[in-house]
Amino acid sequence: MPDAGPPFTVRLSDPGEVAAALPHLIGFQPRESLVAVSLRGPDGRRLGLTGRTDLPPAAHPRPVLDGLVRSMLTDRPAAVLLLVASEQDDDADGGPSPAELPHRPLVREAVLAFTAARVAVREVLLVRGGRWWSYDCDAACCLPGAGTPLPGGTSPLAAASVVTGQVVEADRAALVRRLAPVGFLAAAGMARACDEVGDELARRTAELGWDAVAEEGWAAVLAAVDAAGPGAGAGLSDRQVARLAWGLRDVDLRDRALTLALGRSAAAAEGVWTELTRRAPAPLAAAPATLLAVTAWVRGDGSLANVALERALTSEPTYTFAVLLRAALDACLPPAEVRRLIRDACGPSDARR
């Protein structure tokens, strides 16, 4: 199927909806975080890049804020929306006055940092305990003891996240655990399977030639993705994981697998890359982890993309594809640009299914 880009548009019409959407915008429930949302388009009403950082130390916030500003500038925002997600009060002097919202010094520094970069701050919100406040509102709804409940029910963005395969975790640590290597016994079994399959592939390559073996590897990738689709049953065996991981060490095969991020099978491919990232031993985990990072970034899930890249570079610190993608993500390369690069690099493919 041709790449059609994002499948639909989700509209968030007020600040409360954006506040409620934070877990879906960043991939997990933010805790003690400062979040910046780029506002783009002629009227500054289109959501762009979302950036998150831990709440910086009260005494030295500017280095953290300057880094956040630099990241947001890569999206060329017309303005930004800032959100403080926090259940804690200020650290200094026992917290804020009962008549003030917490973290106002941080908010003031953040506004100054974006203003110095010539980016307007449209609004600043506090999100805590299922409610939200505006730091710019003096009405009764935004007094510290009040607040406005976050919208309930299933939001359009939550529904869209399910369709695109996004899993929202409780926090970033849970996201890291999702990709953590398997335990000792499972790892030992995988290591044996990888040794056996590696020896078999070496013999088959000597007999048939690498091109034939590579085509077998591509068929194995497509079969695994098909099996991971709707209604999938049991997961991959150790030998299947080993065969896929060895195959993806071939650059041409890996690049063909990139095209799977552009079609209807993207969610199924992401499931396969996730399983391989968890179960394949180093350095075989580097290729599927990097493919997982690409697939996540293409659909706008920067949190999963970054965690997957950390896993790839832990598995093989010099893996060139991961090193290049790390630089691209640090520069906040837009997902649309990643899609374009994949199309240009790989050309038309019947793998975009």
Side-chain angles (χ1 to χ4, degrees):
M1 172 186 172
D3 173 26
F8 37 68
T9 299
V10 176
R11 300 186 183 280
L12 303 177
S13 58
D14 63 57
E17 289 186 346
V18 178
L22 284 183
H24 301 283
L25 291 173
I26 64 176
F28 57 90
Q29 182 67 49
R31 304 179 190 279
E32 306 309 312
S33 300
L34 175 63
V35 180
V37 181
S38 169
L39 302 176
R40 305 187 64 194
D43 57 359
R45 299 184 64 182
R46 178 181 299 173
L47 299 188
L49 179 70
T50 301
R52 187 212 69 90
T53 183
D54 292 341
L55 292 181
H60 304 287
R62 286 309 286 260
V64 174
L65 295 175
D66 289 344
L68 181 62
V69 170
R70 284 194 298 272
S71 295
M72 300 307 294
L73 287 176
T74 63
D75 201 40
R76 299 181 180 178
V80 294
L81 175 67
L82 298 179
L83 303 99
V84 177
S86 175
E87 301 297 326
Q88 299 179 6
D89 291 329
D90 296 336
D91 294 332
D93 301 324
S97 161
E100 290 186 354
L101 296 179
H103 305 297
R104 276 197 179 274
L106 171 62
V107 168
R108 182 165 49 251
E109 289 294 324
V111 171
L112 289 173
F114 277 99
T115 301
R118 298 182 180 180
V119 177
V121 177
R122 182 72 56 81
E123 195 163 7
V124 187
L125 307 181
L126 171 69
V127 184
R128 62 163 54 188
R131 308 178 80 84
W132 67 274
W133 292 255
S134 171
Y135 283 93
D136 300 320
C137 177
D138 296 326
C141 62
C142 285
L143 293 176
T148 302
L150 295 174
T154 301
S155 70
L157 185 58
S161 299
V162 172
V163 171
T164 58
Q166 182 186 35
V167 177
V168 177
E169 299 288 2
D171 51 34
R172 193 178 188 279
L175 193 60
V176 173
R177 288 194 296 273
R178 195 202 306 175
L179 300 185
V182 294
F184 174 77
L185 292 178
M190 273 305 318
R192 287 193 298 272
C194 286
D195 288 343
E196 293 169 1
V197 171
D199 291 342
E200 291 174 10
L201 289 176
R203 288 194 297 271
R204 289 188 63 76
T205 300
E207 296 169 1
L208 304 176
W210 176 246
D211 288 344
V213 174
E215 284 303 315
E216 291 177 355
W218 180 234
V221 168
L222 295 181
V225 171
D226 285 342
L236 300 168
S237 69
D238 284 355
R239 288 185 61 84
Q240 287 175 305
V241 170
R243 179 64 183 91
L244 293 169
W246 274 116
L248 292 172
R249 295 297 290 180
D250 177 62
V251 172
D252 291 336
L253 177 57
R254 183 205 66 200
D255 288 350
R256 293 176 75 178
L258 276 175
T259 64
L260 294 169
L262 303 183
R264 290 180 177 175
S265 58
E270 183 172 318
V272 174
W273 310 148
T274 299
E275 189 166 359
L276 265 61
T277 297
R278 291 182 56 252
R279 295 173 59 190
L284 295 180
T290 310
L291 287 169
L292 175 59
V294 171
T295 305
W297 187 251
V298 161
R299 65 174 175 79
D301 191 343
S303 298
L304 177 57
N306 279 293
V307 172
L309 269 184
E310 290 172 7
R311 181 81 172 84
L313 291 169
T314 299
S315 178
E316 186 176 356
T318 59
Y319 189 57
T320 303
F321 186 25
V323 172
L324 293 173
L325 190 61
R326 175 74 279 163
L329 265 61
D330 286 346
C332 298
L333 189 69
E337 181 66 11
V338 176
R339 286 193 293 271
R340 185 190 67 78
L341 291 173
I342 293 173
R343 289 194 300 268
D344 291 349
C346 302
S349 172
D350 59 1
R352 301 179 200 166
R353 302 178 301 159

